[in-house]
Amino acid sequence: MAVQISPSILSADFARLAEAAAAVPNADWLHVDVMDNHFVPNLTLGLPVVESLLKATSTPLDCHLMIEDPDRWAPAYAEAGAGSVTIHVEAA
């Protein structure tokens, strides 16, 4: 299996996500950690930010949903254009 590069945008400046995505033009994916402050004790970005980021980059997004009730939300991420949507089995 070939190595793939998937930098996480979690450490990026959220006000400059488009620039952060552009800074890694050779990435295979951009990893997006979606946290809801329920399933995990952190709160990050959600679907509106993912939708905006998809407009700013052609790099596929790998959306890692660390949220309660992912069955409710995962289809919306796929419909928005995420290349991959990952959920935790214990959350579903």
Side-chain angles (χ1 to χ4, degrees):
M1 177 178 212
V3 173
Q4 293 192 335
I5 305 299
S6 182
S8 175
I9 65 166
L10 187 58
S11 62
D13 178 347
F14 285 3
R16 303 174 79 178
L17 286 179
E19 292 173 39
V24 288
N26 296 321
D28 296 296
W29 298 86
L30 291 177
H31 185 81
V32 181
D33 285 307
V34 178
M35 300 180 219
D36 66 359
N37 199 30
H38 296 279
F39 182 66
V40 294
N42 302 69
L43 180 63
T44 59
L45 45 91
L47 186 57
V49 175
V50 167
E51 290 171 332
S52 294
L53 184 56
L54 283 162
K55 293 175 188 173
T57 184
S58 60
T59 304
L61 300 188
D62 168 28
C63 294
H64 177 195
L65 306 185
M66 292 178 274
I67 61 175
E68 285 185 355
D69 198 12
D71 292 334
R72 175 181 175 201
W73 296 103
Y77 284 87
E79 290 165 7
S84 173
V85 179
T86 306
I87 65 171
H88 287 254
V89 67
E90 65 271 23

Coordinates of all heavy atoms in Angstrom, one line a residue:
M1 N 0.8 -1.2 0.0 CA 0.0 0.0 0.0 C 0.9 1.2 0.0 O 1.8 1.3 0.8 CB -0.9 0.0 1.2 CG -1.8 1.2 1.4 SD -2.9 1.0 2.8 CE -4.2 1.9 2.2
A2 N 0.6 2.2 -0.8 CA 1.3 3.4 -0.9 C 1.0 4.3 0.3 O -0.1 4.3 0.9 CB 0.9 4.2 -2.2
V3 N 2.1 5.1 0.7 CA 1.9 6.0 1.8 C 1.1 7.2 1.3 O 1.3 7.7 0.2 CB 3.3 6.5 2.3 CG1 3.1 7.6 3.3 CG2 4.1 5.3 2.9
Q4 N 0.1 7.6 2.1 CA -0.6 8.8 1.8 C -0.4 9.8 2.9 O -0.3 9.5 4.1 CB -2.1 8.5 1.7 CG -2.4 7.6 0.5 CD -3.9 7.5 0.3 OE1 -4.8 7.7 1.2 NE2 -4.3 7.2 -1.0
I5 N -0.4 11.1 2.5 CA -0.2 12.2 3.4 C -1.5 12.9 3.7 O -2.2 13.3 2.8 CB 0.8 13.2 2.9 CG1 2.1 12.5 2.5 CG2 1.0 14.4 3.8 CD1 2.9 11.9 3.6
S6 N -1.9 13.0 5.0 CA -3.2 13.6 5.4 C -3.0 14.5 6.6 O -3.2 14.2 7.7 CB -4.2 12.5 5.8 OG -5.4 13.0 6.1
P7 N -2.5 15.7 6.3 CA -2.3 16.7 7.4 C -3.6 17.1 8.1 O -4.6 17.3 7.4 CB -1.6 17.9 6.8 CG -1.8 17.7 5.3 CD -2.1 16.3 5.0
S8 N -3.5 17.2 9.4 CA -4.7 17.6 10.1 C -4.8 19.2 10.1 O -3.8 19.9 10.4 CB -4.6 17.1 11.6 OG -5.7 17.6 12.3
I9 N -6.0 19.7 9.9 CA -6.2 21.1 10.0 C -6.5 21.6 11.4 O -6.7 22.8 11.6 CB -7.3 21.6 9.0 CG1 -8.7 21.1 9.4 CG2 -7.0 21.2 7.6 CD1 -9.9 21.7 8.7
L10 N -6.5 20.7 12.3 CA -6.8 21.0 13.7 C -5.8 22.0 14.3 O -6.2 22.9 15.1 CB -6.9 19.8 14.6 CG -7.3 19.9 16.0 CD1 -8.7 20.5 16.1 CD2 -7.3 18.6 16.7
S11 N -4.6 21.9 13.8 CA -3.6 22.9 14.4 C -3.5 24.2 13.5 O -2.7 25.0 13.9 CB -2.2 22.2 14.4 OG -1.9 21.8 13.1
A12 N -4.3 24.3 12.5 CA -4.3 25.5 11.7 C -5.0 26.7 12.4 O -5.8 26.5 13.3 CB -5.0 25.2 10.3
D13 N -4.7 27.8 11.9 CA -5.4 29.1 12.3 C -6.8 29.0 11.6 O -6.9 29.0 10.4 CB -4.7 30.3 11.8 CG -5.3 31.6 12.2 OD1 -6.5 31.6 12.5 OD2 -4.7 32.6 12.0
F14 N -7.9 28.8 12.4 CA -9.2 28.6 11.8 C -9.7 29.8 11.0 O -10.5 29.7 10.1 CB -10.2 28.3 12.9 CG -10.1 26.9 13.4 CD1 -9.2 26.0 13.0 CD2 -11.1 26.5 14.4 CE1 -9.1 24.7 13.5 CE2 -11.0 25.2 14.9 CZ -10.0 24.3 14.5
A15 N -9.1 31.0 11.2 CA -9.4 32.1 10.4 C -8.7 32.1 9.0 O -9.1 32.9 8.1 CB -9.1 33.4 11.1
R16 N -7.8 31.2 8.8 CA -7.0 31.1 7.6 C -7.0 29.7 7.1 O -6.0 29.2 6.5 CB -5.6 31.6 7.9 CG -5.6 33.0 8.4 CD -4.3 33.5 8.9 NE -3.6 33.9 7.6 CZ -2.4 34.4 7.6 NH1 -1.7 34.5 8.7 NH2 -1.8 34.7 6.5
L17 N -8.1 28.9 7.1 CA -8.1 27.6 6.7 C -7.8 27.4 5.2 O -7.1 26.4 4.8 CB -9.4 26.9 7.0 CG -9.7 26.6 8.5 CD1 -11.0 26.0 8.7 CD2 -8.6 25.7 9.1
A18 N -8.3 28.3 4.4 CA -8.0 28.2 3.0 C -6.5 28.3 2.7 O -6.0 27.5 1.9 CB -8.8 29.2 2.2
E19 N -5.9 29.2 3.4 CA -4.4 29.3 3.2 C -3.7 28.1 3.8 O -2.7 27.7 3.2 CB -3.9 30.6 4.0 CG -4.4 31.9 3.3 CD -4.0 33.1 4.2 OE1 -2.9 33.1 4.8 OE2 -4.9 34.0 4.3
A20 N -4.2 27.6 4.9 CA -3.5 26.4 5.4 C -3.7 25.2 4.4 O -2.7 24.4 4.2 CB -4.2 26.0 6.7
A21 N -4.8 25.1 3.8 CA -5.0 24.0 2.8 C -4.1 24.2 1.6 O -3.5 23.3 1.1 CB -6.5 24.0 2.4
A22 N -4.0 25.4 1.2 CA -3.1 25.8 0.0 C -1.6 25.5 0.4 O -0.8 25.3 -0.5 CB -3.3 27.2 -0.4
A23 N -1.3 25.5 1.6 CA 0.1 25.4 2.0 C 0.6 23.9 1.9 O 1.8 23.7 2.0 CB 0.3 25.9 3.5
V24 N -0.3 23.0 1.7 CA 0.1 21.6 1.6 C -0.5 21.0 0.2 O -1.3 20.1 0.2 CB -0.4 20.7 2.8 CG1 0.4 21.1 4.0 CG2 -1.9 21.0 3.1
P25 N 0.0 21.6 -0.9 CA -0.6 21.2 -2.2 C -0.4 19.8 -2.6 O -1.1 19.2 -3.4 CB 0.1 22.1 -3.2 CG 1.5 22.4 -2.5 CD 1.1 22.5 -1.0
N26 N 0.6 19.1 -2.0 CA 0.8 17.7 -2.4 C 0.2 16.7 -1.4 O 0.4 15.5 -1.5 CB 2.3 17.4 -2.4 CG 3.0 18.2 -3.5 OD1 2.4 18.4 -4.6 ND2 4.2 18.8 -3.3
A27 N -0.6 17.2 -0.5 CA -1.3 16.3 0.4 C -2.3 15.4 -0.3 O -3.0 15.9 -1.3 CB -2.0 17.1 1.5
D28 N -2.5 14.2 0.1 CA -3.5 13.3 -0.5 C -4.9 13.6 0.0 O -5.9 13.5 -0.7 CB -3.2 11.8 -0.2 CG -1.9 11.4 -0.9 OD1 -1.8 11.5 -2.1 OD2 -0.9 11.1 -0.1
W29 N -4.9 14.0 1.3 CA -6.2 14.3 2.0 C -5.9 15.5 3.0 O -4.8 15.7 3.3 CB -6.7 13.2 2.9 CG -7.0 11.9 2.2 CD1 -6.1 10.9 1.8 CD2 -8.3 11.5 1.7 NE1 -6.8 9.9 1.2 CE2 -8.1 10.2 1.1 CE3 -9.5 12.1 1.8 CZ2 -9.2 9.5 0.6 CZ3 -10.6 11.3 1.3 CH2 -10.4 10.1 0.7
L30 N -6.9 16.1 3.4 CA -6.9 17.0 4.6 C -7.7 16.4 5.6 O -8.9 16.1 5.4 CB -7.4 18.4 4.2 CG -6.6 19.3 3.3 CD1 -7.3 20.6 3.0 CD2 -5.2 19.5 3.8
H31 N -7.1 16.1 6.8 CA -7.8 15.5 7.9 C -8.5 16.5 8.7 O -7.9 17.5 9.2 CB -6.8 14.7 8.8 CG -7.5 13.9 9.8 ND1 -8.1 12.7 9.6 CD2 -7.7 14.2 11.1 CE1 -8.6 12.2 10.7 NE2 -8.4 13.1 11.7
V32 N -9.9 16.3 8.9 CA -10.7 17.3 9.6 C -11.3 16.6 10.9 O -12.1 15.7 10.7 CB -11.9 17.8 8.7 CG1 -12.7 18.8 9.5 CG2 -11.3 18.4 7.4
D33 N -10.8 17.0 12.0 CA -11.3 16.4 13.3 C -12.6 17.3 13.7 O -12.5 18.4 14.0 CB -10.3 16.5 14.4 CG -9.2 15.5 14.2 OD1 -9.6 14.3 14.1 OD2 -8.0 15.8 14.2
V34 N -13.7 16.6 13.7 CA -15.0 17.2 14.0 C -15.3 16.7 15.4 O -15.5 15.5 15.6 CB -16.1 16.9 13.0 CG1 -17.4 17.5 13.5 CG2 -15.7 17.3 11.6
M35 N -15.3 17.6 16.4 CA -15.6 17.3 17.8 C -16.7 18.1 18.4 O -16.8 19.3 18.1 CB -14.3 17.5 18.7 CG -13.2 16.7 18.2 SD -11.7 17.0 19.3 CE -10.4 17.0 18.1
D36 N -17.6 17.5 19.1 CA -18.9 18.2 19.5 C -18.9 18.5 21.0 O -20.0 19.0 21.5 CB -20.1 17.3 19.2 CG -20.2 16.0 19.9 OD1 -19.3 15.7 20.7 OD2 -21.1 15.3 19.7
N37 N -17.9 18.3 21.8 CA -17.9 18.6 23.2 C -18.9 17.7 24.0 O -19.2 18.0 25.1 CB -18.1 20.1 23.5 CG -17.7 20.5 24.9 OD1 -16.7 20.0 25.4 ND2 -18.4 21.5 25.4
H38 N -19.3 16.6 23.4 CA -20.2 15.6 24.1 C -19.5 14.3 24.0 O -19.2 13.7 25.0 CB -21.5 15.6 23.4 CG -22.3 16.8 23.5 ND1 -23.0 17.2 24.6 CD2 -22.5 17.8 22.6 CE1 -23.6 18.3 24.5 NE2 -23.3 18.8 23.2
F39 N -19.3 13.8 22.8 CA -18.6 12.5 22.6 C -17.2 12.5 23.1 O -16.6 11.6 23.7 CB -18.7 12.0 21.2 CG -18.0 10.6 21.0 CD1 -18.6 9.5 21.5 CD2 -16.9 10.5 20.2 CE1 -18.0 8.2 21.3 CE2 -16.3 9.3 20.0 CZ -16.9 8.1 20.6
V40 N -16.5 13.6 22.8 CA -15.2 13.9 23.3 C -15.2 15.3 24.0 O -16.1 16.1 23.7 CB -14.1 13.9 22.2 CG1 -13.9 12.5 21.7 CG2 -14.4 14.9 21.1
P41 N -14.3 15.6 24.9 CA -14.4 16.9 25.7 C -13.9 18.1 25.0 O -13.5 19.1 25.6 CB -13.6 16.5 27.0 CG -12.6 15.6 26.5 CD -13.3 14.7 25.5
N42 N -13.8 18.0 23.7 CA -13.3 19.2 22.9 C -14.4 19.6 21.9 O -15.2 18.9 21.5 CB -12.1 18.8 22.1 CG -10.9 18.3 23.0 OD1 -11.1 17.2 23.5 ND2 -9.9 19.1 23.1
L43 N -14.3 20.9 21.5 CA -15.2 21.5 20.6 C -14.4 22.0 19.4 O -13.5 22.9 19.7 CB -16.1 22.5 21.2 CG -17.1 23.2 20.3 CD1 -18.1 22.2 19.8 CD2 -17.8 24.4 21.1
T44 N -14.6 21.6 18.2 CA -13.9 22.1 17.1 C -14.9 22.6 16.1 O -15.8 23.3 16.4 CB -12.9 21.0 16.5 OG1 -13.7 19.9 16.0 CG2 -11.9 20.6 17.5
L45 N -14.6 22.3 14.8 CA -15.5 22.9 13.7 C -16.5 21.9 13.3 O -16.5 20.7 13.7 CB -14.6 23.3 12.6 CG -13.5 22.2 12.2 CD1 -14.0 21.3 11.2 CD2 -12.3 23.0 11.7
G46 N -17.5 22.3 12.5 CA -18.6 21.5 12.1 C -18.8 21.6 10.6 O -18.0 22.1 9.9
L47 N -20.0 21.2 10.2 CA -20.4 21.1 8.8 C -20.3 22.4 8.1 O -19.8 22.4 7.0 CB -21.8 20.5 8.7 CG -22.3 20.2 7.3 CD1 -21.4 19.3 6.6 CD2 -23.7 19.7 7.4
P48 N -20.7 23.5 8.6 CA -20.6 24.8 7.9 C -19.1 25.1 7.5 O -18.8 25.6 6.4 CB -21.1 25.9 8.8 CG -22.1 25.1 9.7 CD -21.4 23.8 9.9
V49 N -18.2 24.8 8.4 CA -16.8 25.1 8.1 C -16.3 24.1 7.1 O -15.5 24.5 6.1 CB -15.9 25.0 9.4 CG1 -14.4 25.2 9.1 CG2 -16.4 26.1 10.4
V50 N -16.7 22.9 7.2 CA -16.3 21.9 6.2 C -16.8 22.3 4.8 O -16.1 22.2 3.8 CB -16.8 20.4 6.6 CG1 -16.7 19.5 5.4 CG2 -16.0 19.9 7.8
E51 N -18.0 22.7 4.7 CA -18.6 23.2 3.4 C -17.8 24.3 2.9 O -17.5 24.4 1.7 CB -20.1 23.6 3.6 CG -21.0 22.4 3.9 CD -22.4 22.8 4.3 OE1 -22.6 23.8 4.8 OE2 -23.3 21.9 4.0
S52 N -17.4 25.3 3.7 CA -16.6 26.4 3.2 C -15.2 26.0 2.8 O -14.7 26.4 1.7 CB -16.5 27.4 4.3 OG -17.7 28.0 4.6
L53 N -14.6 25.0 3.5 CA -13.3 24.6 3.2 C -13.3 23.8 1.8 O -12.4 23.9 1.0 CB -12.7 23.7 4.3 CG -11.3 23.2 4.1 CD1 -10.3 24.3 3.9 CD2 -10.9 22.4 5.3
L54 N -14.4 23.1 1.6 CA -14.5 22.3 0.3 C -14.5 23.3 -0.9 O -14.1 22.9 -1.9 CB -15.8 21.4 0.4 CG -15.6 20.2 1.2 CD1 -17.0 19.6 1.5 CD2 -14.8 19.1 0.4
K55 N -15.0 24.5 -0.7 CA -15.1 25.5 -1.8 C -13.7 26.0 -2.0 O -13.4 26.6 -3.1 CB -16.0 26.6 -1.4 CG -17.5 26.1 -1.4 CD -18.4 27.3 -0.9 CE -19.8 26.8 -0.7 NZ -20.6 27.8 -0.1
A56 N -12.8 25.9 -1.0 CA -11.5 26.6 -1.1 C -10.3 25.6 -1.5 O -9.2 26.1 -1.7 CB -11.1 27.2 0.3
T57 N -10.6 24.3 -1.6 CA -9.6 23.4 -1.9 C -10.1 22.3 -2.8 O -11.3 21.9 -2.8 CB -8.9 22.8 -0.6 OG1 -7.8 21.9 -1.0 CG2 -9.9 22.0 0.2
S58 N -9.2 21.7 -3.6 CA -9.5 20.5 -4.4 C -9.0 19.3 -3.7 O -9.3 18.2 -4.2 CB -9.0 20.7 -5.8 OG -7.6 20.7 -5.8
T59 N -8.3 19.4 -2.6 CA -7.8 18.2 -1.9 C -9.0 17.6 -1.2 O -9.8 18.3 -0.5 CB -6.7 18.7 -0.8 OG1 -5.7 19.3 -1.5 CG2 -6.2 17.4 -0.1
P60 N -9.2 16.3 -1.3 CA -10.3 15.6 -0.6 C -10.2 15.8 0.9 O -9.1 15.8 1.5 CB -10.2 14.2 -1.0 CG -9.2 14.1 -2.2 CD -8.4 15.3 -2.1
L61 N -11.3 15.9 1.5 CA -11.4 16.0 3.0 C -11.7 14.7 3.6 O -12.6 14.0 3.2 CB -12.4 17.0 3.5 CG -12.2 18.5 3.0 CD1 -13.2 19.4 3.7 CD2 -10.8 19.0 3.2
D62 N -11.0 14.3 4.6 CA -11.2 13.1 5.5 C -11.8 13.6 6.8 O -11.1 14.1 7.6 CB -9.9 12.4 5.7 CG -9.9 11.3 6.7 OD1 -11.0 10.7 6.9 OD2 -8.9 11.1 7.4
C63 N -13.1 13.5 6.9 CA -13.8 14.1 8.1 C -14.0 13.0 9.1 O -14.7 12.0 8.9 CB -15.2 14.6 7.7 SG -15.1 16.0 6.6
H64 N -13.3 13.2 10.3 CA -13.3 12.3 11.4 C -14.3 12.8 12.4 O -14.0 13.7 13.1 CB -11.9 12.2 11.9 CG -11.7 11.3 13.1 ND1 -10.6 11.4 13.9 CD2 -12.4 10.4 13.7 CE1 -10.7 10.6 14.9 NE2 -11.8 9.9 14.8
L65 N -15.5 12.1 12.5 CA -16.5 12.6 13.4 C -16.4 12.0 14.7 O -16.7 10.8 14.9 CB -17.9 12.3 12.8 CG -18.2 12.7 11.3 CD1 -19.6 12.4 11.0 CD2 -17.9 14.2 11.2
M66 N -16.0 12.8 15.7 CA -15.9 12.4 17.1 C -17.1 13.1 17.8 O -16.9 14.1 18.5 CB -14.6 12.8 17.7 CG -13.4 12.0 17.1 SD -11.8 12.5 17.7 CE -11.4 13.9 16.6
I67 N -18.3 12.6 17.4 CA -19.5 13.3 17.9 C -20.5 12.3 18.3 O -20.5 11.1 18.0 CB -20.1 14.1 16.7 CG1 -20.5 13.3 15.5 CG2 -19.1 15.3 16.3 CD1 -21.2 14.0 14.4
E68 N -21.5 12.7 19.1 CA -22.7 11.9 19.5 C -23.6 11.8 18.2 O -23.7 12.7 17.5 CB -23.4 12.5 20.6 CG -22.8 12.4 22.0 CD -23.6 12.9 23.1 OE1 -24.7 13.5 22.9 OE2 -23.2 12.7 24.2
D69 N -24.2 10.7 18.1 CA -25.2 10.5 17.1 C -24.6 10.7 15.7 O -25.2 11.4 14.9 CB -26.5 11.3 17.3 CG -27.7 10.8 16.5 OD1 -27.6 9.7 16.0 OD2 -28.6 11.6 16.4
P70 N -23.5 10.1 15.3 CA -22.9 10.3 14.0 C -23.8 9.8 12.9 O -23.7 10.3 11.8 CB -21.6 9.5 14.1 CG -21.8 8.4 15.1 CD -22.8 9.1 16.1
D71 N -24.7 8.8 13.1 CA -25.6 8.4 12.1 C -26.4 9.5 11.6 O -26.8 9.5 10.4 CB -26.5 7.2 12.6 CG -25.7 6.0 12.9 OD1 -24.6 5.7 12.3 OD2 -26.2 5.2 13.7
R72 N -26.7 10.4 12.4 CA -27.6 11.6 12.0 C -26.8 12.5 11.1 O -27.3 13.1 10.2 CB -28.1 12.3 13.3 CG -28.8 13.6 13.0 CD -29.2 14.3 14.3 NE -29.8 15.6 13.9 CZ -30.0 16.5 14.7 NH1 -29.6 16.4 16.0 NH2 -30.5 17.7 14.4
W73 N -25.5 12.7 11.4 CA -24.7 13.8 10.8 C -23.8 13.3 9.6 O -23.5 14.1 8.7 CB -23.8 14.5 11.8 CG -24.6 15.2 12.9 CD1 -24.9 14.8 14.1 CD2 -25.4 16.4 12.7 NE1 -25.7 15.7 14.8 CE2 -26.0 16.7 13.9 CE3 -25.5 17.3 11.6 CZ2 -26.8 17.8 14.0 CZ3 -26.3 18.4 11.7 CH2 -26.9 18.7 13.0
A74 N -23.4 12.1 9.7 CA -22.4 11.6 8.6 C -22.9 11.8 7.2 O -22.2 12.2 6.3 CB -22.1 10.1 8.9
P75 N -24.2 11.5 6.9 CA -24.7 11.7 5.5 C -24.5 13.1 5.0 O -24.2 13.3 3.9 CB -26.1 11.3 5.6 CG -26.2 10.3 6.7 CD -25.3 10.9 7.7
A76 N -24.7 14.1 5.9 CA -24.6 15.5 5.5 C -23.1 15.8 5.1 O -22.9 16.6 4.1 CB -25.0 16.4 6.6
Y77 N -22.1 15.2 5.8 CA -20.7 15.5 5.4 C -20.4 14.8 4.1 O -19.8 15.4 3.2 CB -19.8 14.9 6.5 CG -19.8 15.8 7.7 CD1 -20.7 15.6 8.7 CD2 -18.8 16.8 7.8 CE1 -20.7 16.5 9.9 CE2 -18.8 17.6 9.0 CZ -19.7 17.4 10.0 OH -19.7 18.3 11.1
A78 N -21.0 13.6 3.8 CA -20.8 13.0 2.5 C -21.5 13.8 1.4 O -20.9 14.0 0.3 CB -21.3 11.6 2.6
E79 N -22.7 14.2 1.7 CA -23.4 15.0 0.7 C -22.8 16.4 0.4 O -22.8 16.9 -0.7 CB -24.9 15.2 1.1 CG -25.7 14.0 1.1 CD -27.0 14.0 1.9 OE1 -27.3 15.1 2.4 OE2 -27.6 13.0 2.0
A80 N -22.1 16.9 1.4 CA -21.4 18.2 1.2 C -20.2 18.0 0.3 O -19.7 19.0 -0.3 CB -21.0 18.8 2.5
G81 N -19.6 16.8 0.2 CA -18.5 16.5 -0.6 C -17.3 15.9 0.0 O -16.2 15.8 -0.6
A82 N -17.4 15.6 1.3 CA -16.2 15.0 2.0 C -15.8 13.7 1.2 O -16.7 12.9 0.8 CB -16.6 14.7 3.4
G83 N -14.6 13.5 1.1 CA -14.1 12.3 0.4 C -14.1 11.1 1.2 O -14.2 9.9 0.7
S84 N -14.1 11.3 2.6 CA -14.1 10.2 3.5 C -14.8 10.7 4.8 O -14.5 11.8 5.2 CB -12.7 9.7 3.8 OG -12.7 8.7 4.8
V85 N -15.7 9.9 5.4 CA -16.3 10.2 6.7 C -16.1 9.0 7.6 O -16.5 7.9 7.3 CB -17.8 10.5 6.5 CG1 -18.4 10.8 7.9 CG2 -18.0 11.6 5.5
T86 N -15.4 9.2 8.7 CA -15.1 8.2 9.7 C -15.8 8.5 11.0 O -15.8 9.6 11.4 CB -13.5 8.1 9.9 OG1 -12.9 8.0 8.7 CG2 -13.2 7.0 10.8
I87 N -16.4 7.4 11.5 CA -17.1 7.6 12.8 C -16.5 6.5 13.8 O -15.9 5.5 13.4 CB -18.6 7.4 12.7 CG1 -19.0 6.0 12.2 CG2 -19.2 8.5 11.8 CD1 -20.5 5.7 12.3
H88 N -16.8 6.7 15.1 CA -16.4 5.7 16.1 C -17.6 4.8 16.3 O -18.7 5.2 16.5 CB -16.1 6.5 17.4 CG -14.8 7.2 17.4 ND1 -13.6 6.7 18.0 CD2 -14.4 8.3 16.7 CE1 -12.7 7.6 17.8 NE2 -13.1 8.5 17.0
V89 N -17.3 3.5 16.2 CA -18.4 2.5 16.4 C -19.1 2.7 17.7 O -20.3 2.5 17.7 CB -17.8 1.1 16.1 CG1 -16.9 0.7 17.3 CG2 -19.0 0.1 16.0
E90 N -18.4 3.0 18.7 CA -19.1 3.1 20.0 C -20.0 4.4 20.1 O -20.8 4.5 21.1 CB -18.0 3.2 21.2 CG -17.1 4.3 21.2 CD -15.8 4.2 20.4 OE1 -15.8 3.4 19.4 OE2 -14.9 4.9 20.7
A91 N -19.9 5.2 19.2 CA -20.8 6.4 19.2 C -22.1 6.1 18.4 O -23.0 6.9 18.5 CB -20.1 7.6 18.6
A92 N -22.1 5.1 17.6 CA -23.2 4.8 16.8 C -24.1 3.6 17.4 O -23.6 2.8 18.1 CB -22.8 4.3 15.4

